[in-house]
Amino acid sequence: MIKLVFLLDSRESLKQSDEVELELFNIIFDKEFQEDHLFVKEEQIVLDAFYLEDSLEPFLKNDEVMRLLKKDGSKALPITLQDEEIISTKKLPSVDAFSKIFDMGIAVQYSDEE
C-alpha cells in the first residue's frame, strides 16, 4: 500500500505550484488512476490532503511537521508524507519523486505553444 499525506497551506496557494507537479497531484487523486495502479501494480493507493486554512489538527499529528512549521512557518508548506515520513517540503513532489513513489515511469510532454 502507498500512503501519501499532503499538508497544504490553502487551495489558492496550491494553484501557485509548478504546473507539471500540480497536474500530477491532481492525476493521482483521480479514481481511475488509482484503480489502474491497483490493477497493474497490485498496490492500493491511500491519499489525504489537508489544508491549514481548514484545520490545524492534521498538522499537529506529526512531530517533524510541527518542528518544520515552528521553524519556517507556512513557508515549509506544502509538506508531503509517505508512511508518516516527510519526503518533500516547500513544493509538491517532482515528476521523478512521483515516479519512484509509484514505481513506474512518468513521461511529461510539453507543448511549444505558449
Side-chain angles (χ1 to χ4, degrees):
M1 174 173 53
I2 297 173
K3 182 173 177 16
L4 295 175
V5 175
F6 298 92
L7 301 172
L8 306 149
D9 187 18
S10 67
R11 287 164 185 80
E12 194 59 39
S13 68
L14 181 61
K15 294 176 186 175
Q16 307 304 315
S17 297
D18 175 85
E19 184 178 340
V20 172
E21 292 165 0
L22 181 58
E23 182 66 22
L24 286 171
F25 173 83
N26 289 325
I27 287 170
I28 66 170
F29 275 89
D30 183 78
K31 187 174 181 173
E32 188 175 331
F33 173 83
Q34 294 175 23
E35 290 171 353
D36 290 347
H37 189 271
L38 180 60
F39 178 76
V40 173
K41 293 290 189 176
E42 298 180 350
E43 190 170 37
Q44 182 182 11
I45 300 172
V46 177
L47 304 171
D48 285 305
F50 298 103
Y51 295 90
L52 190 57
E53 67 183 359
D54 293 339
S55 173
L56 186 58
E57 186 177 335
F59 296 77
L60 299 173
K61 293 181 179 180
N62 184 298
D63 291 338
E64 273 302 298
V65 168
M66 284 306 302
R67 187 186 65 75
L68 276 173
L69 290 174
K70 285 179 183 175
K71 179 182 171 218
D72 297 332
S74 63
K75 292 178 183 176
L77 300 172
I79 297 172
T80 306
L81 304 167
Q82 182 175 5
D83 299 323
E84 301 297 320
E85 187 174 320
I86 296 173
I87 61 167
S88 177
T89 63
K90 299 182 181 177
K91 62 182 187 129
L92 294 172
S94 66
V95 172
D96 289 339
F98 276 125
S99 292
K100 289 176 186 170
I101 291 166
F102 296 109
D103 190 27
M104 57 192 260
I106 297 175
V108 178
Q109 292 181 331
Y110 295 93
S111 172
D112 289 339
E113 300 174 11
E114 289 291 324

